[in-house]
Amino acid sequence: MRKRVLKSIVQIIPVFIIGGILSVISLYTSNQFLKDLSDYSFLMVPPLLAGYIAKEISGSVGFIPGLILGYLSGAIGLGMFGAILVGIILGYFINLLKKIEISIDMSSIMYIVVIPILSTLVVGMGLYYIFQEPMKFILESLGIYLNSLDDKNNVFLNFVLGGLIGVDLGGPINKVAYVYAINTLEYGKGDIMGPIAVAISTPPLALGLSQFILKNRFSKTEKEAGIISILLGFLGITEGALLFLTKDIAVLPTTVIGAAIGAASASVLGVKSLVPHGGIIIFPLIENKIGFLISLSIGVISTIFMLYFLKRGDSNG
């Protein structure tokens, strides 16, 4: 199953690249069309991810139901991780349905009508009625907690926000922290968005660079993703590190703590940004550029240091 999820993530990486590059260009040109096109690109991530995962597990019959339920996941705020969950459940549920013995004459109806409708309905109801409310409760509670923090202690606040950025790497928890930072821009304050810009890039850059520093700790698949991860980190796309988290859960503490340390360091150094984006790509728009580079380096080095102790060697090399 893990290999199928990894393959599906690799297949949607072009969406991240397209959306990220368009977003950056729109920042520098103030072009609303490019901004909208970038936003629409990222909206395609949950549907495509769920579709590809379901297809990898159950064959082509799972792709369309996966698209539909992946879109539902994005619409109700469960994002990529909701899409991963629904793609896996959908794929295995379809495999169960395929075991039902039917006559050859009925097979076309089974695969074109019965399986797509039944799987979409059953798994969709589970996503909507079982998983939606608990996840929303968690996200709403998280938002309340962030709003309760004293913004006078920006170092601690940015440490928490940075850690949330590294939790699910572009998923719903990441988005809570990101949206919180964007909302502070309405008051003309860049002291939250600056550190978050550092946190956004820390996981993908660290995990990408670690492929060359800790060579014996990663599989061939991960090593091949290293350059892509660095590119996405450069563009300010935290999802570049998602491939590694899906491969080995031991990566999670390093992305959380590394992003938190990077954000806290940026807060101490007074890094500021009024741009709702992250990554080295916005370097010309950062206030205190030296502080930005130093804090990003601290976050990346901290992450790689933790990976040295937590990431086991891969026997497939």
Side-chain angles (χ1 to χ4, degrees):
M1 182 185 72
R2 182 177 293 178
K3 289 183 178 179
R4 289 165 175 162
V5 174
L6 287 173
K7 184 177 179 181
S8 301
I9 292 173
V10 170
Q11 288 176 306
I12 67 167
I13 283 178
V15 181
F16 295 128
I17 294 175
I18 292 169
I21 290 176
L22 291 176
S23 177
V24 170
I25 295 174
S26 72
L27 286 174
Y28 284 99
T29 61
S30 299
N31 188 303
Q32 187 59 44
F33 167 71
L34 294 178
K35 176 66 170 60
D36 291 342
L37 198 56
S38 171
D39 292 341
Y40 294 142
S41 299
F42 285 116
L43 286 176
M44 291 300 298
V45 170
L48 288 173
L49 186 54
Y52 278 125
I53 291 174
K55 182 181 178 182
E56 286 294 323
I57 294 173
S58 62
S60 58
V61 67
F63 186 66
I64 298 302
L67 286 180
I68 295 170
L69 297 184
Y71 183 87
L72 174 63
S73 176
I76 64 179
L78 302 187
M80 287 193 306
F81 277 83
I84 292 173
L85 177 66
V86 78
I88 293 171
I89 295 174
L90 183 65
Y92 285 109
F93 181 70
I94 289 175
N95 281 343
L96 288 176
L97 294 178
K98 288 164 70 173
K99 292 181 179 180
I100 299 174
E101 295 184 5
I102 55 172
S103 65
I104 296 177
D105 294 337
M106 293 294 294
S107 62
S108 59
I109 295 177
M110 185 71 173
Y111 279 81
I112 296 175
V113 180
V114 177
I115 290 179
I117 292 177
L118 191 58
S119 61
T120 301
L121 182 61
V122 173
V123 180
M125 289 176 66
L127 178 67
Y128 193 84
Y129 291 107
I130 297 176
F131 295 107
Q132 180 182 188
E133 289 306 317
M135 193 63 188
K136 281 188 174 180
F137 175 77
I138 293 172
L139 296 177
E140 289 172 2
S141 299
L142 188 57
I144 293 171
Y145 172 70
L146 291 176
N147 288 323
S148 71
L149 294 178
D150 185 358
D151 61 4
K152 293 180 181 179
N153 187 359
N154 273 1
V155 176
F156 177 70
L157 176 58
N158 284 316
F159 180 85
V160 173
L161 290 171
L164 294 176
I165 289 291
V167 169
D168 55 356
L169 307 171
I173 295 176
N174 170 288
K175 291 298 185 286
V176 169
Y178 179 62
V179 170
Y180 181 92
I182 289 178
N183 288 339
T184 64
L185 296 179
E186 296 179 5
Y187 307 101
K189 297 174 61 178
D191 55 347
I192 301 295
M193 194 65 231
I196 293 306
V198 171
I200 285 171
S201 284
T202 297
L205 286 176
L207 284 159
L209 290 171
S210 66
Q211 310 307 304
F212 305 97
I213 299 173
L214 307 174
K215 295 181 180 180
N216 64 327
R217 306 299 175 92
F218 295 90
S219 67
K220 182 179 179 181
T221 303
E222 291 172 305
K223 291 173 183 175
E224 291 172 350
I227 297 296
I228 295 175
S229 184
I230 292 172
L231 172 61
L232 294 177
F234 183 88
L235 294 174
I237 303 174
T238 319
E239 289 89 341
L242 184 61
L243 177 67
F244 305 97
L245 176 59
T246 309
K247 183 71 168 62
D248 186 358
I249 195 63
V251 168
L252 180 59
T254 72
T255 61
V256 174
I257 299 173
I261 291 174
S265 300
S267 187
V268 171
L269 294 173
V271 176
K272 296 181 180 180
S273 174
L274 294 176
V275 179
H277 201 74
I280 300 174
I281 195 72
I282 65 164
F283 183 72
L285 306 176
I286 291 289
E287 184 179 327
N288 188 358
K289 296 177 175 57
I290 299 300
F292 177 83
L293 293 177
I294 292 173
S295 55
L296 181 58
S297 298
I298 291 173
V300 168
I301 292 171
S302 299
T303 305
I304 296 175
F305 178 77
M306 288 181 284
L307 281 169
Y308 176 80
F309 293 100
L310 295 178
K311 186 79 167 75
R312 298 186 302 273
D314 193 280
S315 58
N316 297 322

